[in-house]
Structure formats: C-alpha cells, structure tokens
Amino acid sequence: MKPRILVVDDEESIREFLEIMLKKEGYEITLAEDGQKAKDLLTKKSFDMIISDLQMPHVTGIELLKHVKESYPDTVFMLITAFGTTETAVEAMKMGAYDYLTKPFKIDEVRLNIQNALRSRNLEVENRTLKKELTKEYSFQSMVGNSPAMHAIFDMVKRVSQTPTNVLITGESGTGKEVVAKAIHYNGPLKDRPFVTVNCGAIPENLMESEMFGHKKGSFTGAVADKSGLFEVADTGTLFLDEVGELPLTIQVKLLRAIQERVVRRVGATEDVKVEVRIIAATNRNLEEMVAKGTFRQDLFYRLNVINIKTPSLRERREDVPLLANHFLKKYNERLNKNIGAISAEAMEILKKYDYPGNVRELENMIERTVALEGGATILPESLPPMVNTASGRKMASSNEIEMGDDGVDLDKVMGQIEKELLVKAIHSAGGVKKRAAKLLHISFRSMRYRIEKYNLGVVGDDELDDE
C-alpha cells in the first residue's frame, strides 16, 4: 500500500507543487487548504504523514500538530514555514514534529526528509508492536494452567515482579523456567528495560568471562575490538542466567563480585564499570547438593536464592494437560495453517496418563508433531506418537500390572520399552546433556550413545564435549 500523506497549506500553488512532486515519488496524496479541513479529513481517513504550513487561518500548524499528537500519535508530522523563526521550529519539534521544511523548497532535501521521516515512523510503529506482542506473550495469560500448583506460581510471579530482588527458579527441564523469568520481568517496573538471557551451559568455559563481563581490544588473541559483556548489555534491566549450575567455579567468583558490588571489569581492563542489573537464575540441578559437594559456591547460592520459585513438573499437575493440549492445538493450527477442530476424548485420556519426562516442552512438541502430520479434523489416539500410545509410554507399569496371557509376555519387548522410557527421562532430566544423562543411569557415555542410536532417539547433544 502506498504511504498516505496529507498536505495542508492555504497557498494553492504550494499544495499543487507538493502533490505533483510526491505523487511522482509514489505516495498517495490528499490536500487540505487549512487546519480545520485537515482535522475533518483525519476523522475519515488515516495518514502516515502530515506536511502542514505553520501559518494558516482558523487552525494554525502548531494547533494542528498538538491535535495530531494527542489523537493520532503514530502519524508523523512535518511543518512548512517561510515566516517562522528558529525558535518556533524548535518549539514545534519539542511538541513532536519530526522536522520542518523551509520555503522555497529544495526538492532533493524535501524528498530525503520525507523518506527518513516515514522510515523512522515505520520503525517506531514496528518497535511498539513488537514490544506489545512481547508483553502479551509473557503476560500471565501466556502461563497456561488452572491447577493449585500453577495458581501458586501466578501468585508468586505477581508479587516478585514488583521487587528488584534476585530470584532462583528451580525445576525439571521443560517446566517453563524461562517463561516464568520473562513473566517476572515483563510484568514489573523493568518491562521496558533489557531482558538478556545467558545459557550458562552453552558457552565454552574459556569464553565465559569475556561473554559475561566483556573485554578490551588486544586482551587476548581474537580480541580485535572492545566488547561489552552481557552484564553491561543488561544494565538497568534483567540478566537471566539459565542453567546457572553449569557455571565453572572461576566464573562463580566473578559473578559473586558483580552481584555484591554491582561492578564488572572487562577482560584486560584496569577499571570497573558500574552496572545495575536484576539477576534471575534458573537450574534443573540441586544447587544445595552442589554446595555440599563443593562444586557451587555457598555465598553465591545465597545471593541468587533470595526468593525461590519451583516450577512443578507436568506429572504434578496432570489436570492442566487438557488445557495445555488445547492451547498448543490452537497455537499450531495457526502457525501451520491447519484447521484441526479438537482432540478426541480417547486421545485426551491417553495424553493425561502419559508421564511426560520432558514436561510441558514435550507435550508442546508432541502436539506440534501431531498437528503437522494429522490429515483429519480431529486428533485421534492413533494420531499420537507411538510412545504415548504404549503402556510403557504412559506411567511405567510394575510386573503386577502386566497381564500374563495365554501367549505369555514378550520380555525383550517390554524391557526394551522400559529402557527406552528411562533413556528419554534421563536425557530430559539432564537438560539434553547426554554425559549427565549417562551418569543418572549409571552407565558409560559410550553405552548411552549406543542405546540412543539403538532406539533412534535422535538426540542432538554433547558428543563433541566428552567421550570415554
């Protein structure tokens, strides 16, 4: 659609000149001979930009500018003046005018000013829209759940978001720790400030200090320019330390100093930089156990764990499964341009019984996969992934629950299903880190890798990090 420009001037020759010139540039032009006519037109049609004379009878350019900024704040305003002083132009810009044009016009200057003004306006509108969407995405409405456990989370997020206190979010992988962190940030007084996420488990140890605190040019090989660290990027906002239990002890010391003294020092620098950052940390590991073992600093633990929020596993709030499943169905219908009407009662019963070692993230992936592959109007039991449809995919059965029919039991098959279930559960509990998952199962990493290939689990992980 062509950008719409309203030209307001009591001189007919000026209106005609701008109309001819701007139409050649591809704009849609509407003309008004005074400010009152412009106000009338604005009630009937929207404009991207208004170019208005300063001196006009009845309603002046300044009065029109004030009206536009109050009623149509997204419309960019530019003044034309042959009589106005610099003071008048400055006053107009203080009131929100983008710029002013001086008669007689220099065509190239007019053309460039209008292009810049519209580009700036579009960026502002886009930024506002993105912020609105972001706020909506991480509003309380985006945290789906009606169980007592989730109501406790909503209540805690509501109270914590209004304070600058550090927060530690704990819980299994896939329980929505980052969603909670963003809800705290975007529902509090820092919502218009930066929210910076650091995945502590994904940054190599030798780069961690530079990433967190920045570096000076020449401080090490490859430091070709000064670089701000993530602490400085998050200044005045929130720094979210995801998987904080993965931080090496050497970085834990520097993190503690940054939190306590509110200063950071770039690698290679001799002076500190002040930062004002709220810390929200998250982990699926037991930090208290790590403190006891000496792998996590106790003083840092206390600094981070001022307020603790534990996100419940999906197994602890099975009553939320239908609500979440329908939420994801709607989401992926829209995203994948599908029109699947519902999840059948039978399929929903199966979903409710499944154990979800990967928690909400696993349910979401499951619904996305099902929506993508489903050809009918309803999700049926057979539409669900095979794992969910098997007894072992649901809550693990004890031997007492396995019926010994006339044909007996395929022991290898049953044991294989249980093994596969435990592998998936361990991988999810380890946050996708296969080496840690192997430790949880008390098997070697090589054995873990063999079993992953055997069951075609398709896990992308940390092969490059370790081997045994």
Side-chain angles (χ1 to χ4, degrees):
M1 192 172 71
K2 293 179 180 178
R4 293 173 170 175
I5 298 178
L6 173 61
V7 175
V8 192
D9 200 302
D10 55 343
E11 284 187 51
E12 187 177 0
S13 60
I14 296 294
R15 294 198 303 272
E16 288 178 354
F17 167 77
L18 287 172
E19 182 182 25
I20 292 168
M21 187 197 86
L22 295 175
K23 276 187 173 176
K24 282 183 181 174
E25 295 296 315
Y27 300 115
E28 180 184 323
I29 304 302
T30 302
L31 303 177
E33 58 265 36
D34 60 47
Q36 186 55 51
K37 292 279 176 57
K39 289 171 77 172
D40 294 342
L41 282 167
L42 282 163
T43 62
K44 300 170 187 170
K45 190 174 178 182
S46 65
F47 294 94
D48 300 298
M49 182 177 193
I50 296 173
I51 301 175
S52 171
D53 192 14
L54 180 64
Q55 302 291 343
M56 293 184 294
H58 310 305
V59 177
T60 68
I62 292 291
E63 289 169 333
L64 180 60
L65 167 63
K66 187 178 178 187
H67 173 73
V68 168
K69 287 296 131 185
E70 287 175 354
S71 305
Y72 312 96
D74 285 343
T75 302
V76 66
F77 199 99
M78 193 174 286
L79 276 169
I80 304 169
T81 178
F83 310 102
T85 63
T86 305
E87 288 75 17
T88 307
V90 170
E91 186 61 29
M93 293 179 74
K94 282 182 180 174
M95 291 173 62
Y98 177 81
D99 204 348
Y100 63 93
L101 304 172
T102 307
K103 299 174 187 174
F105 299 127
K106 295 177 182 173
I107 292 179
D108 287 343
E109 185 181 348
V110 172
R111 186 184 294 129
L112 187 62
N113 278 355
I114 290 173
Q115 284 175 358
N116 289 339
L118 286 172
R119 190 179 298 122
S120 173
R121 180 255 185 196
N122 290 340
L123 283 173
E124 279 185 24
V125 171
E126 190 177 329
N127 279 341
R128 261 201 303 276
T129 304
L130 285 172
K131 278 188 176 179
K132 195 173 173 183
E133 287 298 314
L134 203 59
T135 302
K136 184 180 171 186
E137 186 176 353
Y138 295 108
S139 65
F140 287 103
Q141 288 78 8
S142 71
M143 297 170 63
V144 180
N146 196 30
S147 59
M150 284 308 293
H151 278 287
I153 295 285
F154 298 151
D155 180 59
M156 185 61 93
V157 168
K158 193 174 180 181
R159 285 187 286 159
V160 169
S161 62
Q162 303 306 312
T163 74
T165 312
N166 293 343
V167 180
L168 178 64
I169 305 169
T170 55
E172 294 178 16
S173 292
T175 51
K177 295 188 286 297
E178 184 166 355
V179 174
V180 171
K182 287 181 174 172
I184 291 171
H185 176 82
Y186 287 108
N187 288 282
L190 300 181
K191 64 182 179 184
D192 294 322
R193 311 306 304 170
F195 179 93
V196 177
T197 298
V198 185
N199 187 335
C200 301
I203 303 175
E205 185 173 348
N206 60 331
L207 296 179
M208 182 69 77
E209 183 176 0
S210 168
E211 288 296 312
M212 294 272 275
F213 307 112
H215 64 247
K216 298 289 288 181
K217 179 182 177 181
S219 55
F220 55 85
T221 305
V224 294
D226 288 359
K227 181 187 174 187
S228 301
L230 294 170
F231 258 91
E232 289 181 68
V233 175
D235 192 23
T236 71
T238 299
L239 185 65
F240 176 53
L241 300 173
D242 199 10
E243 300 301 341
V244 72
E246 307 305 316
L247 279 178
L249 282 167
T250 51
I251 300 299
Q252 290 180 30
V253 177
K254 292 181 169 62
L255 176 59
L256 179 66
R257 179 172 180 267
I259 294 173
Q260 286 186 157
E261 301 179 22
R262 299 180 186 279
V263 293
V264 294
R265 181 174 295 182
R266 296 182 181 183
V267 176
T270 55
E271 293 182 351
D272 293 334
V273 178
K274 285 188 178 180
V275 287
E276 193 65 40
V277 173
R278 179 194 200 168
I279 302 290
I280 301 178
T283 183
N284 60 0
R285 303 183 70 177
N286 187 329
L287 291 189
E288 287 172 303
E289 280 185 4
M290 293 180 68
V291 169
K293 291 176 181 174
T295 54
F296 200 86
R297 291 183 65 96
Q298 186 179 52
D299 41 12
L300 178 59
F301 172 69
Y302 288 133
R303 283 287 178 184
L304 296 175
N305 193 36
V306 179
I307 293 176
N308 181 266
I309 298 178
K310 183 179 183 305
T311 50
S313 69
L314 195 48
R315 298 182 301 285
E316 295 171 285
R317 56 181 186 114
R318 289 183 186 277
E319 61 268 48
D320 286 336
V321 169
L323 201 62
L324 284 161
N326 284 314
H327 169 75
F328 294 135
L329 174 63
K330 181 173 182 287
K331 176 179 176 178
Y332 288 104
N333 261 335
E334 291 173 359
R335 186 169 294 181
L336 303 176
N337 198 26
K338 302 290 284 276
N339 190 28
I340 299 170
I343 300 171
S344 73
E346 297 81 6
M348 191 63 84
E349 278 305 306
I350 292 172
L351 288 173
K352 284 163 69 176
K353 289 176 181 172
Y354 182 63
D355 228 16
Y356 297 101
N359 292 294
V360 178
R361 186 184 297 143
E362 184 178 7
L363 174 61
E364 179 172 3
N365 291 347
M366 197 181 290
I367 298 297
E368 180 183 2
R369 172 192 182 278
T370 306
V371 170
L373 298 178
E374 179 60 58
T378 303
I379 293 178
L380 301 171
E382 51 268 33
S383 311
L384 298 173
M387 190 175 173
V388 187
N389 264 318
T390 62
S392 66
R394 298 188 285 274
K395 191 173 181 180
M396 189 186 299
S398 73
S399 59
N400 291 333
E401 294 173 287
I402 299 174
E403 292 186 10
M404 185 68 71
D406 294 339
D407 296 332
V409 170
D410 187 335
L411 184 60
D412 288 340
K413 185 177 178 183
V414 171
M415 296 307 292
Q417 287 171 337
I418 292 173
E419 184 180 38
K420 184 177 176 183
E421 165 72 12
L422 286 172
L423 286 167
V424 172
K425 194 169 185 176
I427 290 166
H428 281 296
S429 296
V433 181
K434 287 182 281 184
K435 183 178 178 183
R436 201 185 309 148
K439 286 182 179 176
L440 290 174
L441 295 173
H442 298 264
I443 59 177
S444 69
F445 178 65
R446 195 179 301 281
S447 175
M448 183 78 187
R449 198 160 54 188
Y450 164 75
R451 286 174 165 81
I452 286 172
E453 289 174 2
K454 176 183 174 184
Y455 293 110
N456 194 25
L457 294 179
V459 179
V460 177
D462 54 347
D463 282 323
E464 70 284 4
L465 297 178
D466 43 23
D467 204 344
E468 294 179 7

